[in-house]
Amino acid sequence: MTAPPAALFRRWVHVREEDAGGVRVYRPADRPLPPARGRDGIEFRPDGTFADLRPGPTDAPVASVGRWTAPSRSRVALTYPPGARGAGAPTGYEIVEVTPDVLRLRPT
């Protein structure tokens, strides 16, 4: 197992309007985004956990926390605990691009 790029470790918000070719585009949560209701997101943490952020009843994000591993520098595998809200979510991503300003992930 290898370590993914350090820029991955932050909270990201999914900007659906920028998705293309099966690649999901995320922007840092602390940056201004175009107005939209119900944005989902993801947060990768250096301790091997992640939070899958989905809109709750008031559009505020509700987190399902799981674990990530990195089979390679360009891939992350996700594991949700039993009964978590991750049902139907991707179980891994190819990291297409990660910089301080953008994260592009292809679900695997």
Side-chain angles (χ1 to χ4, degrees):
M1 187 166 66
T2 61
L8 184 69
F9 301 119
R10 67 183 320 163
R11 189 175 202 169
W12 299 93
V13 177
H14 186 191
V15 185
R16 286 188 229 47
E17 57 271 28
E18 294 184 30
D19 290 357
V23 174
R24 295 180 181 192
V25 178
Y26 295 81
R27 298 289 178 175
D30 60 354
R31 304 280 167 84
L33 295 171
R37 292 202 60 206
R39 289 198 186 274
D40 60 322
I42 195 161
E43 179 180 356
F44 290 98
R45 302 169 184 155
D47 68 357
T49 62
F50 73 93
D52 181 3
L53 305 159
R54 305 275 178 106
T58 63
D59 278 346
V62 176
S64 284
V65 177
R67 300 211 47 86
W68 65 264
T69 57
S72 73
R73 189 158 169 80
S74 65
R75 294 203 181 268
V76 287
L78 309 179
T79 305
Y80 292 85
R85 274 185 356 127
T91 57
Y93 291 103
E94 173 190 355
I95 302 169
V96 176
E97 178 184 12
V98 61
T99 71
D101 296 319
V102 68
L103 172 63
R104 297 182 198 281
L105 298 174
R106 180 176 288 116
T108 57

